Amino acid sequence: ERIGVLGIPFSKGQSRVGTEYGPEVLRNGGIVRKLQNLGCHVKDHGDVEVIHVENDDPEENAKNPRTVGQTSKLIADKVEQVLRSDDICVTLGGDHSMAIGCIAGNARVEPDLVVLWIDAHADINTPMTSDSGNIHGMPLSFLVHELESYVPKLPGFEWLSPCIHAKDIAYIGLRDVDAGERKIIEKFGITAFSMQEVDKYGINEVVERALRAVDPEGKRPIHLSFDVDAMDPTLTPSTGTPVIGGLSLRETYYIAEEVARTGRLSMVDVAEVNPLLGDDKDKKLTVDMTISVIQRFFGNRRGG
Ligand SMILES: N[C@](CCCC[B-](O)(O)O)(CCN1CCC(O)CC1)C(=O)O
Ligand SMILES: [Mn+2]
Ligand SMILES: [Mn+2]
Ligand SMILES: [Mn+2]
């Protein structure tokens, strides 16, 4: 396939400096060349322009709303452009608020997409249910039709309309879900496989059930949003909100290989790499583990 790589050097969806350097360290780790070495045609589209709004005061408890909202619009426009020329878009983040623009942009090209959200967290707080006000904990709430009446129209988000339904989402890797998120997941019946289910059923059964739940006929395009904190922090320590007891390398490989096998992968977001956290060993490990996972979405299979 033709892969379009897009950097999203963004950090204003949360409060730690560093995720803006995610694209740089992933590129320096060789992600473009390693995908090309798999026989993929890879075009690096550079970085999305990041907007910085002065005096961007919190609104409805959400921090940096104008900066996040306006940048998300540019992300959506750029993602749409990439997907008009390439088959698959790989976005290098950047904090997970990037997914607002990534999914909105993908949905313009693939309106029937389903979302696999690989993460320790549910990232579906509304501005009111969030305890932090960090928009990287809220992206899905801006995108889901069923939550539209619960989410205030924040300044900077005028351009955005919900584009997915709750039934189109499946989580794998959850282990730090807030009370408000739990209520939303239950109220709207969102498919969710926490680490408990991964242990109970095994990753093969979890992946099979997740795909069947969102796409029983096996024909819808897949948007895979990968938060590197889904993996155990011993594998990806350089990330802002690590949670122990995460996915193993082999479990994460398996998810990537199975999604690749569908042949319906439309987009992969790589979120929450923060190279300023931890020491140099941690940073290198995080980058190397992340890239080794991404390679498995594109034909690098353990069986050859
Ligand atoms: N759900 C959290 C964390 C979001 C993580 C976003 B990511 O993209 O990395 O998945 C919860 C934060 N909260 C912090 C204090 C704790 O005591 C409880 C959880 C929030 O800030 O909304
Ligand atoms: Mn997370
Ligand atoms: Mn709809
Ligand atoms: Mn996340």
Side-chain angles (χ1 to χ4, degrees):
E1 305 101 340
R2 293 178 54 87
I3 299 171
V5 172
L6 184 61
I8 303 180
F10 195 62
S11 65
K12 294 300 180 188
Q14 46 86 63
S15 45
R16 291 162 174 251
V17 177
T19 55
E20 63 269 40
Y21 303 113
E24 179 184 332
V25 294
L26 288 167
R27 286 196 176 97
N28 292 348
I31 191 160
V32 173
R33 175 175 41 78
K34 289 178 176 178
L35 292 179
Q36 286 167 333
N37 291 349
L38 295 176
C40 305
H41 178 283
V42 185
K43 180 166 189 267
D44 188 342
H45 291 263
D47 288 352
V48 173
E49 183 205 346
V50 167
I51 304 277
H52 184 80
V53 175
E54 294 297 322
N55 308 318
D56 190 3
D57 296 329
E59 185 80 20
E60 306 274 0
N61 175 47
K63 294 171 182 165
N64 310 317
R66 298 159 193 80
T67 299
V68 175
Q70 290 178 27
T71 301
S72 295
K73 183 182 183 321
L74 295 185
I75 293 171
D77 293 347
K78 194 73 182 155
V79 162
E80 180 182 8
Q81 180 195 327
V82 171
L83 286 172
R84 299 277 186 220
S85 72
D86 296 330
D87 305 303
I88 299 177
C89 182
V90 175
T91 54
L92 310 178
D95 74 65
H96 221 164
S97 66
M98 65 193 268
I100 297 167
C102 291
I103 292 172
N106 192 4
R108 292 175 188 167
V109 181
E110 301 287 3
D112 198 32
L113 65 79
V114 296
V115 175
L116 293 185
W117 198 273
I118 315 301
D119 202 324
H121 310 92
D123 294 5
I124 200 165
N125 275 304
T126 69
M128 278 70 78
T129 66
S130 168
D131 65 4
S132 67
N134 293 325
I135 294 181
H136 76 157
M138 310 178 197
L140 285 167
S141 79
F142 297 101
L143 297 164
V144 171
H145 287 284
E146 291 84 351
L147 289 173
E148 188 163 18
S149 57
Y150 298 82
V151 177
K153 185 57 83 177
L154 300 178
F157 288 77
E158 298 80 2
W159 63 277
L160 178 61
S161 295
C163 54
I164 56 175
H165 292 276
K167 68 172 178 39
D168 301 332
I169 300 168
Y171 290 113
I172 299 176
L174 299 180
R175 53 191 185 277
D176 181 9
V177 177
D178 299 340
E181 296 179 306
R182 175 81 245 142
K183 288 191 183 69
I184 289 168
I185 289 167
E186 274 165 2
K187 181 178 173 65
F188 298 107
I190 299 177
T191 302
F193 294 100
S194 75
M195 290 308 298
Q196 183 180 359
E197 281 76 47
V198 171
D199 292 334
K200 181 176 181 179
Y201 301 122
I203 193 65
N204 59 330
E205 185 71 25
V206 161
V207 174
E208 190 181 321
R209 291 184 185 201
L211 286 171
R212 196 180 327 123
V214 296
D215 180 18
E217 291 164 39
K219 61 183 190 351
R220 298 175 66 178
I222 296 168
H223 183 114
L224 194 128
S225 209
F226 176 51
D227 185 327
V228 301
D229 73 29
M231 297 178 80
D232 193 88
T234 56
L235 299 166
T236 50
S238 298
T239 192
T241 52
V243 185
I244 57 175
L247 292 168
S248 70
L249 189 59
R250 289 165 47 191
E251 287 166 337
T252 314
Y253 282 177
Y254 188 84
I255 295 168
E257 289 162 343
E258 284 304 292
V259 168
R261 241 167 36 87
T262 66
R264 295 193 308 282
L265 183 63
S266 166
M267 189 153 175
V268 182
D269 306 327
V270 184
E272 297 286 348
V273 170
N274 187 332
L276 300 190
L277 300 176
D279 61 20
D280 280 353
K281 189 171 66 62
D282 293 331
K283 169 187 152 184
K284 181 172 178 0
L285 181 67
T286 303
V287 169
D288 291 348
M289 290 298 112
T290 300
I291 293 176
S292 78
V293 167
I294 302 310
Q295 287 177 280
R296 301 208 184 279
F297 283 104
F298 299 102
N300 175 253
R301 287 185 314 196
R302 284 172 281 177

